[in-house]
Amino acid sequence: MAAKSDGAAVSVEDDNTPRSLSEPGIPAARPRCSAAGGKPFTLLDCCWVLCALLVFFSDGATDLWLAADYYLRGDYWWFGLTLVFVVVPSAVVQVLSFRWFVYDYSDLSGGDGAASGSGAAAAGAAGAAAAGDALSTKDGEQRGGSAAAGNAANVTPVYTSSGPPVTAGRVGAPRRCCTVCMWVFQTVLHVLQLGQVWRYIHALYLGAQSRWHSNGPRRHFHWRLMFESADITMLRLLEAFLKSAPQLVLQLSIMIHGNTVLPLQGLSASASLVSLAWMIASYQKVLRDSRDDKLPMSYKAVIAQMLWHFFTIGARTVAFALFASVFQLYFGIFIVSHWCVMTFWIIQGETDFCMSKWEEIIYNMVVGIIYIFCWFNVKEGPSRFRMTVYYSVTLAENVALTAAWYTYRGPHTSDSYALVVVCLVACSFALGTFFMLVYYCWLHPDGPVLGSQWGGCVDEGMVGAGGVAGVIDACLTPSQGSQTDMVITSPPRTLPRTKDTGEPVPGDRDRDSCLPVFQVRPSPSSSPALLHRTSSSSRAQEGPVIRIDLPRKRYPAWDAHFIDRRLRKTILLLETTSAVSPRIQYRSSMMGSKEVLEYETTV
């Protein structure tokens, strides 16, 4: 998974170029390291964070309130199960959150030695920034993704006469009393199970600072905001499927088993369902925002995705609850079997999310839990076939579970009530499928993904008038296609490889000839390759480059500098001491033969 290098830097162009530089006609993707500090933090973003806090509190508060009600009613068995599904997942998430805090804050509170070492590295980076020198990673005798990523943080500062290094004392450790107060504060917060609340409030603070400050501090606060948002979504997604999903199934089973619905039960189940749908959509939005090779997701698309998951998960959990109310033992066997099959399917797909093999296996097992309830894309590329297979299996399981309950339900359940429940499951799944199609046909960030597969033809004038030129595929006649110089498909799907002359490589067009394409004839002065070279050469003198000796992870995986906290520290230190924002450069997976040969000779 990781490369092994002796520290010799490979001279390649920055492969983090946004797609808008290489694919004409695509709306400009937001660069993460822009001079303005990336996408500005807006009032809508602030409202989104506040709503996320409201969802978090409503989910936890209703569960605790319901547990207390069970205790007062004397239903100690239901009280115990409800409380377990609240406390245990929350404790697991708080331990993980506190572990991240300890690692992030350890250098700041570790004394003069750690701070001085980090400050010296950052100061050297600042000196390199003035001359546009690059900082390369070193990887000696170690192997594996974690080793390469760990050494990636140990950047080699390059001192130049034009940019004298800053003294280490400028980045000194905070005062001891402040350090002790921070440790006590964070410990109390996590013991009270409020670690996520602090992170949400901290994200609001960072967003406000990134908006109010000038360009230099704005970049630094923007980086920290992106890192904090990534941490929150990872923690909340884990908590949602460890706490909210089991809690939802439990409360629905209790309601069906007792043939009564208490107001608190309905409130708790609704809050759990909203929390699940919210966190899946929020996770996808933050993941896209973190990657400069993907277009950001609008809030309309987020809402559509929330409704999609709300109704599909709702139908799924109701079917689970119906079956579990009659067949408790067989329901447990079914859940374990489904989880094993889905986990094996995910592992067989060879995902690349984590930095080591064992972390990847654990991650796949967690995603297997998510696959019990809903679809979660973990592999790059067109997902139509995989999504169709998953939802076909899910539909068959929902039908089988609901039919089993309808056949073997108790005598106290009337036929009219049973028929209403069955219609509820069917309508909820149909509504979820409808919003899924709405998302992919109209609101997907990359354009109407399913439009080209359904043979829709769009006139070029209509595309330009619609403001989504280069996103919707246009159907052209063969005579028109023969006069073009370059063939480009709907981004960021399959893009034919091109030579420097702009001619497609033989074989690629034949392979994708069944799909309608949008064909462009670029002028010689505005060639994408020329624009890319020009932008790359102009940016080469902008500041330091952090070269990570790893191939960049493919979407929908997080970039290494988001999941490896040592790389985060390197970026933040350079942001603090450098006059310009550092650029992230991964080892290109599309090197030329000469560059590959030069790189392999250094291994």
Side-chain angles (χ1 to χ4, degrees), residues 222-426:
H222 177 72
W223 274 105
R224 294 176 62 189
L225 173 62
M226 293 303 300
F227 290 151
E228 191 68 80
S229 300
D231 288 345
I232 294 172
T233 53
M234 292 180 196
L235 292 171
R236 288 286 290 125
L237 185 71
L238 177 64
E239 184 180 34
F241 283 95
L242 291 181
K243 183 183 79 171
S244 301
Q247 192 74 256
L248 178 59
V249 175
L250 174 65
Q251 301 309 323
L252 290 176
S253 300
I254 295 174
M255 287 185 280
I256 295 172
H257 181 76
N259 204 25
T260 57
V261 179
L262 299 176
L264 278 179
Q265 288 176 330
L267 192 62
S268 174
S270 300
S272 298
L273 183 56
V274 171
S275 180
L276 281 168
W278 182 284
M279 285 319 304
I280 296 174
S282 179
Y283 178 90
Q284 296 295 335
K285 174 174 172 52
V286 174
L287 177 57
R288 274 190 166 268
D289 288 345
S290 72
R291 296 188 63 105
D292 56 7
D293 60 340
K294 290 293 177 179
L295 298 174
M297 184 183 295
S298 66
Y299 281 104
K300 290 188 293 184
V302 174
I303 293 174
Q305 200 173 98
M306 283 178 55
L307 294 174
W308 158 22
H309 292 297
F310 180 88
F311 287 108
T312 53
I313 295 176
R316 184 76 165 160
T317 52
V318 171
F320 284 170
L322 294 174
F323 188 77
S325 65
V326 179
F327 305 99
Q328 290 83 5
L329 178 61
Y330 290 111
F331 175 71
I333 296 174
F334 165 76
I335 290 294
V336 173
S337 302
H338 183 89
W339 174 76
C340 291
V341 171
M342 289 298 162
T343 302
F344 176 78
W345 187 33
I346 297 167
I347 293 176
Q348 186 269 339
E350 298 180 353
T351 60
D352 185 23
F353 272 72
C354 302
M355 305 303 296
S356 68
K357 178 181 177 181
W358 290 108
E359 288 178 347
E360 193 72 30
I361 293 176
I362 294 174
Y363 176 83
N364 290 336
M365 294 171 67
V366 173
V367 175
I369 298 176
I370 298 177
Y371 270 40
I372 294 175
F373 298 93
C374 67
W375 165 258
F376 190 77
N377 190 22
V378 293
K379 190 175 180 181
E380 191 222 9
S383 56
R384 299 178 186 87
F385 175 75
R386 289 180 284 121
M387 187 182 295
T388 302
V389 170
Y390 175 82
Y391 277 112
S392 298
V393 172
T394 299
L395 178 61
E397 289 177 345
N398 289 351
V399 170
L401 296 176
T402 307
W405 170 81
Y406 186 86
T407 303
Y408 297 98
R409 68 186 188 276
H412 59 278
T413 304
S414 63
D415 292 340
S416 59
Y417 173 79
L419 187 60
V420 169
V421 172
V422 171
C423 292
L424 176 65
V425 175

Side-chain angles (χ1 to χ4, degrees), residues 136-178:
S136 61
T137 62
K138 289 187 177 182
D139 187 7
E141 299 296 331
Q142 297 173 326
R143 294 180 181 271
S146 59
N151 290 310
N154 300 323
V155 296
T156 306
V158 180
Y159 299 91
T160 62
S161 58
S162 60
V166 185
T167 57
R170 188 175 297 181
V171 198
R175 290 182 300 175
R176 184 174 181 82
C177 61
C178 295

